[in-house]
Amino acid sequence: MGELVRLEINDGIGTIRLDRPPMNALNIQVQEELRAVAAQITADDSIRAAVIYGGEKVFAAGADIKEMADMSYVDMAKRAGALSSAFDAVARIPKPVVAAITGYALGGGCELALTCDWRVVAEDAKLGQPEIKLGIIPGAGGTQRLARLVGPAKAKDIIFTGRMVDAQEALAIGLADRVVPADKVYDEAINLVRAYVGGPAQALAAAKAAIDGGLDRDLAGGLAWESQLFAALFATDDKREGMAAFVGKRPPEFTGR
C-alpha cells in the first residue's frame, strides 16, 4: 500500500486511487508508487481489470513543478527514463484499464490517462498538455501516445498551443471515450470494465498486447505478432472451455487460465 497511490480491490476490479491533495501533482514518489501498483495488478490474478481515479474533484493536474524547477539537464537526464518507464508500467498492465477523469487531467495527468485503454471524462473536465508554456515538452509519453490516439496534426495543435481540451472536444477527437456528469464518472468507469471480470483473461491480455504491440510494427510485423499470440491461446484452459461451451450451446465459464 503506497502513501500517495492506493490500490483498492473490489469484485475483481482494482482501483488505483491517486491521493495527493489538492491537485494530485505527480511527483517522483507518486511516479514510483504508480510503478509498484502496476506491478501488483499485473501479478495478482484475482484482479481482472483496473480503474485509475483521482477523486471527485481532480484526476491529476500535472507534474510537481516545484520539484522540477531547480533540476538541471544532468538531473533530468538521470530521471527522464524512470519517469517514462513508470508510466509505461501502467500502460503495460495486461488487463483492461480505464481512467476515470474529473476536474483536470493536465500534463502528466493527461499522460497517465493516455496509458489507459479508455477514458471516462466528466462533462466539466479539462484535458491537455500545457508543458510548452513552461518551455518544455511532455516527457512521460504525451508526444507519442497522444499522436497515436488522435493523429499527429491534432496532437501538434494540443501540444504546440498548450491549450485545454474540454470534454466534448475530447470525445469528438477520440481523447475521451465516454462523457458523463462528474458524479457519475467513477461508477461509469467501473461499469465499463465490469464485463471483463469474468472474461477469458489470457485472451484479453493477448488482444491488448496484439493491438498495442501492433502499433509499433508495420503491417507484416503486426500480422506475425498477432499470429503468434493467437496460436499461444490454444494452450489455455479458457480456449478449451470457450469452444466446448460453443459446441455445447451453453454459456462459457472462464477461469482466466
Side-chain angles (χ1 to χ4, degrees), residues 96-101 110 112-123 125 127 145-146 148-150 165-181 185 188-189 192-193 196:
V97 181
V98 57
I101 299 172
C110 188
L112 180 59
L114 288 169
T115 67
C116 300
D117 302 307
W118 307 281
R119 283 148 294 281
V120 174
V121 175
E123 292 172 336
L127 298 85
R145 292 192 176 96
L146 185 60
R148 284 165 168 77
L149 187 65
V150 304
V165 177
D166 66 28
Q168 289 304 318
E169 181 185 358
L171 183 64
I173 65 176
L175 180 53
D177 298 284
R178 298 184 185 179
V179 173
V180 298
V185 165
E188 184 71 13
L192 194 157
V193 296
Y196 304 111

Side-chain angles (χ1 to χ4, degrees), residues 10-95:
N10 187 31
D11 295 331
I13 299 173
T15 296
I16 302 171
R17 177 67 161 86
L18 306 177
D19 189 17
R20 192 184 180 222
M23 301 302 286
N24 290 331
L26 303 169
N27 67 354
I28 291 175
Q29 182 179 346
V30 172
Q31 296 161 26
E32 292 307 313
E33 289 185 10
L34 279 168
R35 186 198 307 276
V37 166
Q40 184 177 349
I41 292 173
T42 297
D44 190 338
D45 291 340
S46 72
I47 302 174
R48 306 296 286 274
V51 175
I52 304 181
Y53 183 51
E56 297 177 356
K57 295 183 178 180
V58 64
F59 183 72
D64 189 328
I65 304 304
K66 291 181 179 179
E67 184 178 70
M68 293 194 301
D70 294 329
M71 294 180 74
S72 67
Y73 163 75
V74 173
D75 295 331
M76 187 50 76
K78 293 178 180 178
R79 179 64 202 168
L83 164 62
S84 182
S85 67
F87 281 57
D88 201 48
V90 179
R92 292 182 180 276
I93 294 172
K95 301 169 185 183

Side-chain angles (χ1 to χ4, degrees), residues 141-210:
T143 64
Q144 303 304 303
R145 292 192 176 96
L146 185 60
R148 284 165 168 77
L149 187 65
V150 304
K154 183 56 68 175
K156 288 174 183 176
D157 166 41
I158 293 169
I159 292 171
F160 288 8
T161 63
R163 67 182 179 85
M164 293 188 189
V165 177
D166 66 28
Q168 289 304 318
E169 181 185 358
L171 183 64
I173 65 176
L175 180 53
D177 298 284
R178 298 184 185 179
V179 173
V180 298
D183 61 352
K184 304 294 184 183
V185 165
Y186 181 71
D187 289 342
E188 184 71 13
I190 290 290
N191 288 335
L192 194 157
V193 296
R194 192 187 307 279
Y196 304 111
V197 170
Q202 297 299 320
L204 287 167
K208 182 169 179 172

